[in-house]
């Protein structure tokens, strides 16, 4: 009996030490293991939650550092809770698997808003608590029951200024016109953005895209298939441009600035008709930190966090209050800046949440 | 107790823990996948019926099998000549060759895949050099297509093809060849009628190894295929992670599993598989 008491005290102490950063995670988990905690009731996730912090599930790379400085510091200052990361990338299938396995170790997933539409109703997500999170601090239509858009990213394109010097391409119609603008193209492999671009190139108005006319979009995609490559990750899209494999490349707009820099300005970003994608924070069902996840999301919505994410990651603010404060040098790259906001088109997460799976497979069938 | 011992060899007790572990950690998940393929999204054989309905699935399977067959033929042919050369050169050269082979064997698949892009890409070393010399006006499309995938896969698979062949060639008694020549057979006759048949178990082993490993290729086709060469492994991953059609993914995984088992079974009709895997030919 005494032993148990001792173990409990030791664990509480070490949890405190862990929280305050006096003990590293491995030592803490080792202590949990030594005392039999991990074996009996508490899985690693619970033990971490007991140490009082929120686990953010993101895509690694720079985002770990950026989410920490942009959101984590302010979150810790206001709530006293720390921020930890899982950088394995919260793809829809992984979230589903995590929740179904019953071992939920992440609190906030840096995902897409359409994930909230497809995973929410099936019971894999916690509903967003709109008494903590604000519906006004995002674009209208991007605050949904199971997810809220915190940043925007976009599908835009870059072109080779040396290939099309005096007469540069200006919109998706030019992008798909390989007669007028010869050269290789690159598009996103998993359909998103590619389908919308194809429809706009075919003459569909930006505000009349949804529901997507799949046959029409795929026919357009097929028309430039021989001149197209398809990328699956941001770095691949980046290297296709930097290595000169394509003359025009669809990119995630937050990569545009890096591509311009890495090619000494040879490639140039075009934000006209860029498709704004709502990047959303969603909460896996039964997350270990509970309601603290909502406070974290609320922190990310604040203007300073929004501007810091833009500065650090190139992710565009979705809180309208931040639009006016986008700094001068970021104006060309942020899709909701005064310079770009009238030229962009908005993604419909509901259509993608409901039809995305079939759309991706139809797209893969067309390009392979 | 004695009666029990009569029927169950005590040796089983020693390997029992291993058996239990294999059952729990290996067989369990596989059964789970099989189960998923007939229960998700609804019970029945709907996922398997898709094979008959969907041209896309058939095409992906055909692409996979085609690429794997070509990869296997080239890897094993090249591997055979490499192994043969290693067997018949000086020890010193053999050591060099073995070192080079193992070094490439140990280098990560990602590094090897991306190196091909540097070398044979549109603005890679080879294309730029050829353009500078003036041999070609337009870059040759080595990469980002099926050719690129094949180059990457064959290169990756060659060590896997060489090693079993090397083992099998080393086991041959060289005096048999001498005897053959002594009895008046020409060099090519000796090779075709004595050496080649003696290395058949090694050939089969490396063919099986290369083909089965090729079936699961994911990174190389995804990167070097430019998105246009879709093989089963990548398709399964998309169905699991993006489109959430776990049933389809499980069905394809089960299909691959049964395909490989069927292949082994057919092989076993023609030869003792135990010799392929290093056992004695009884």
């Amino acid at each position: 009996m005494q032993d148990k008491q001792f173990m409990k005290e030791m664990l509480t102490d070490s949890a405190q030490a862990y929280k305050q950063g006096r003990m590293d995670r491995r030592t803490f988990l080792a202590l949990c293991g030594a005392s039999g905690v991990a074996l009996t009731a508490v899985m690693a996730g619970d033990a971490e939650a007991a140490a009082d912090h929120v686990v953010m599930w993101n895509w690694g790379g720079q985002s770990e550092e950026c989410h920490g400085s942009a959101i984590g510091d302010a979150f810790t200052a206001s709530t006293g809770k720390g921020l930890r990361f899982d950088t394995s990338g919260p793809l829809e299938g992984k979230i589903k698997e995590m929740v179904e396995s019953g071992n939920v170790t992440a609190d906030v997933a840096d995902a897409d808003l359409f994930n909230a539409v497809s995973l929410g109703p099936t019971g894999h997500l916690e509903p967003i608590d709109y008494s903590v999170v604000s519906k006004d601090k995002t674009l209208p239509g991007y605050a949904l029951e199971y997810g809220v858009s915190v940043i925007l990213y976009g599908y835009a394109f870059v072109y080779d200024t040396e290939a099309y010097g005096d007469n540069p391409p200006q919109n998706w119609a030019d992008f798909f016109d390989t007669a007028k603008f010869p050269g290789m193209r690159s598009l996103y492999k998993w359909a998103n953005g590619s389908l919308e671009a194809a429809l706009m190139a075919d003459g569909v108005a930006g505000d009349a895209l949804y529901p997507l006319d799949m046959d029409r979009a795929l026919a357009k995609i097929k028309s430039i298939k021989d001149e197209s490559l398809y990328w699956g990750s941001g770095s691949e899209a980046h290297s296709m441009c930097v290595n000169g494999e394509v003359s025009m490349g669809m990119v995630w707009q937050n990569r545009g600035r890096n591509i311009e820099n890495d090619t000494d300005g040879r490639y140039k970003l075009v934000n006209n008709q860029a498709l704004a994608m709502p990047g959303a924070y969603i909460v896996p069902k039964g997350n270990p930190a509970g309601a603290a996840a909502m406070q974290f999301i609320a922190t990310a919505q604040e203007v300073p966090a929004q501007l810091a994410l833009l500065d650090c990651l190139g992710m565009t603010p979705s809180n309208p209050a931040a639009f006016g404060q986008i700094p001068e040098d970021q104006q060309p790259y942020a899709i909701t800046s005064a310079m770009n906001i009238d030229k962009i088109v908005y993604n419909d997460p509901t259509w993608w949440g409901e039809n995305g799976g079939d759309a991706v497979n139809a797209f893969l069938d067309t390009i392979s | 107790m004695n009666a029990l011992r009569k029927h169950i060899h005590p040796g089983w007790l020693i390997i029992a823990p291993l058996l239990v572990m294999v059952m729990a950690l290996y067989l369990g998940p596989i059964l789970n996948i099989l189960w998923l393929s007939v229960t998700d999204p609804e019970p029945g054989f709907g996922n398997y019926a898709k094979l008959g309905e969907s041209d896309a699935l058939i095409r992906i399977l055909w692409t996979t099998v085609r690429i794997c067959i070509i990869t296997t033929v080239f890897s094993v042919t090249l591997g055979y000549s490499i192994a043969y050369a290693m067997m018949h050169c000086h020890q010193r050269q053999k050591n060099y060759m073995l070192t080079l082979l193992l070094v490439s064997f140990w280098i990560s698949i990602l590094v090897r895949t991306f190196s091909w892009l540097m070398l044979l890409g549109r603005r890679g070393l080879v294309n730029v050099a050829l353009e500078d010399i003036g041999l070609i006006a337009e870059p040759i499309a080595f990469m980002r297509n099926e050719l690129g995938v094949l180059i990457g896969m064959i290169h990756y698979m060659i060590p896997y093809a060489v090693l079993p062949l090397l083992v099998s060639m080393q086991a041959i008694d060289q005096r048999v060849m001498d005897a053959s020549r002594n009895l008046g057979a020409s060099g090519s006759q000796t090779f075709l009628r004595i050496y080649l048949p003696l290395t058949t178990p090694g050939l089969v082993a490396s063919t099986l190894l290369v083909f089965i490993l090729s079936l699961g290729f994911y990174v190389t086709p995804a990167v070097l295929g430019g998105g246009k060469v879709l093989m089963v492994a990548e398709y399964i991953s998309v169905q699991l992670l993006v489109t959430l059609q776990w049933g389809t993914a499980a069905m394809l995984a089960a299909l691959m599993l049964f395909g490989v088992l069927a292949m082994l079974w057919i092989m076993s009709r023609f030869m003792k598989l135990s010799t392929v895997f290093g056992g004695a030919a009884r």
Side-chain angles (χ1 to χ4, degrees), chain A residues 91-94 96-97 100 119 160 184 189-190 225-226 228-230 236 239-240 243-245 266-267 357-358 360-361 364-365 367-368, chain B residues 40 55-56 59-60 114 117 121-123 143-144 218 222-223 225-230 234-235 237-246:
Chain A
L91 279 166
E92 204 164 301
K94 291 192 192 170
K96 180 176 167 180
E97 196 275 330
E100 287 184 359
L119 286 176
D160 182 356
M184 292 296 283
K189 187 152 76 173
W190 294 346
K225 185 177 159 185
D226 290 340
S228 301
L229 303 177
Y230 305 92
E236 208 179 348
S239 70
M240 281 178 178
N243 295 338
E245 288 184 78
R266 176 167 171 175
Y267 281 75
D358 293 337
V360 170
N361 280 340
L364 286 178
D365 184 30
I367 66 172
S368 66
Chain B
D40 182 284
D55 293 342
R59 224 181 48 222
I60 290 162
F114 281 104
L117 278 185
R122 204 177 153 78
R123 285 197 199 153
M143 291 287 130
R144 308 285 193 193
Y218 174 41
V223 174
K228 293 183 199 174
V229 183
L230 191 59
E234 191 183 3
Y235 193 74
S237 137
V238 172
Q239 303 312 313
L240 278 177
L241 296 174
V242 182
T243 65
L244 298 196
Q245 296 184 358
W246 288 8

Side-chain angles (χ1 to χ4, degrees), chain B residues 117-131:
Chain B
L117 278 185
M118 309 238 158
L119 208 60
L120 293 182
R122 204 177 153 78
R123 285 197 199 153
L125 211 58
V126 171
N127 269 323
V128 169
L130 289 179
E131 275 178 292

Side-chain angles (χ1 to χ4, degrees), chain A residues 15-36:
Chain A
Q16 290 292 336
Y18 174 39
K19 179 187 153 194
Q20 289 159 16
R22 283 187 283 118
M23 184 183 283
D24 63 30
R25 178 171 176 273
R26 196 167 289 183
T27 315
F28 175 51
L29 289 178
L31 278 175
C32 291
S35 58

Side-chain angles (χ1 to χ4, degrees), chain A residues 96 358 361, chain B residues 32-58 61 235-236 239-240 243-255:
Chain A
K96 180 176 167 180
D358 293 337
N361 280 340
Chain B
N32 193 13
I33 292 286
L34 293 181
W35 180 243
L36 205 60
S37 74
V38 289
T39 54
D40 182 284
E42 55 206 25
F45 287 90
N47 289 316
Y48 292 88
K50 277 188 199 158
L51 282 175
E53 299 155 8
S54 158
D55 293 342
L57 284 178
I58 296 296
L61 287 170
Y235 193 74
I236 289 177
Q239 303 312 313
L240 278 177
T243 65
L244 298 196
Q245 296 184 358
W246 288 8
T248 310
M251 179 271 288
L252 286 170
L255 208 64

Side-chain angles (χ1 to χ4, degrees), chain A residues 11 36-37 41 47 68 71 117 128 131 137 146 155 170 183 246 278 307 334 346 360:
Chain A
L11 268 187
V37 169
I71 316 168
V117 177
I128 299 295
S131 65
K137 290 178 181 167
Y146 293 98
Y155 287 98
Q170 290 168 2
V246 296
L307 293 173
Y346 295 93
V360 170

Side-chain angles (χ1 to χ4, degrees), chain B residues 10-279:
Chain B
W12 284 105
L13 279 180
I14 300 172
I15 60 166
L18 181 73
L19 279 182
V20 170
M21 224 167 81
V22 167
M23 295 286 249
L25 299 178
Y26 197 69
L27 219 53
I30 286 184
L31 287 177
N32 193 13
I33 292 286
L34 293 181
W35 180 243
L36 205 60
S37 74
V38 289
T39 54
D40 182 284
E42 55 206 25
F45 287 90
N47 289 316
Y48 292 88
K50 277 188 199 158
L51 282 175
E53 299 155 8
S54 158
D55 293 342
L57 284 178
I58 296 296
R59 224 181 48 222
I60 290 162
L61 287 170
W62 169 233
T63 306
T64 310
V65 170
R66 185 181 65 229
I67 289 181
C68 290
I69 289 176
I70 300 175
T71 302
T72 309
V73 168
F74 277 92
S75 309
V76 173
T77 312
L78 290 169
Y80 195 93
S81 49
I82 294 173
Y84 190 86
M86 283 169 79
M87 280 308 297
H88 296 87
C89 60
H90 292 294
Q91 186 63 35
R92 203 180 149 85
Q93 288 161 322
K94 186 182 170 186
N95 288 344
Y96 284 139
M97 288 173 82
L98 196 62
T99 310
L100 285 176
L101 191 81
L102 288 178
V103 165
S104 76
F105 186 62
W106 287 327
I107 293 176
S108 139
I109 186 165
L110 272 175
V111 175
R112 291 170 68 178
T113 300
F114 281 104
S115 322
W116 279 116
L117 278 185
M118 309 238 158
L119 208 60
L120 293 182
R122 204 177 153 78
R123 285 197 199 153
L125 211 58
V126 171
N127 269 323
V128 169
L130 289 179
E131 275 178 292
D132 286 350
I133 302 171
L135 273 179
I136 52 172
E138 277 290 300
I140 302 171
F142 291 112
M143 291 287 130
R144 308 285 193 193
N145 51 30
E146 198 167 311
L147 177 65
V149 176
L150 285 171
I151 292 175
M153 281 178 66
I154 291 168
H155 173 240
Y156 189 81
M157 279 303 167
I158 282 177
Y160 289 91
V162 171
L163 294 175
L165 284 168
L166 208 55
V167 172
S168 129
M169 287 179 186
Q170 263 162 351
I172 297 175
D173 188 341
Q174 292 300 321
R175 289 173 306 182
V176 178
M177 259 65 69
D178 297 339
S180 159
R181 295 305 299 273
N182 197 338
L183 291 171
S186 71
S188 48
Q189 272 176 325
T190 305
F191 177 78
L192 288 174
R193 296 176 64 176
I194 311 288
Y195 199 83
L196 199 58
L198 280 174
T199 51
T200 309
L203 266 176
V204 174
S206 75
T207 304
L208 279 178
L209 185 68
V210 170
F211 187 81
I212 291 171
L213 283 176
S214 302
L215 282 176
F217 257 62
Y218 174 41
V219 173
T220 309
V223 174
L224 300 184
K228 293 183 199 174
V229 183
L230 191 59
M231 285 176 63
V232 167
E234 191 183 3
Y235 193 74
I236 289 177
S237 137
V238 172
Q239 303 312 313
L240 278 177
L241 296 174
V242 182
T243 65
L244 298 196
Q245 296 184 358
W246 288 8
T248 310
M251 179 271 288
L252 286 170
L255 208 64
M256 301 310 269
L257 180 68
F258 288 127
V260 168
L261 289 177
M263 224 166 61
L264 289 175
W265 182 77
I266 292 170
M267 285 289 183
S268 75
R269 308 270 69 180
F270 294 103
M271 61 186 303
K272 283 252 176 258
L273 274 187
S274 58
T275 61
V276 169
F277 298 115

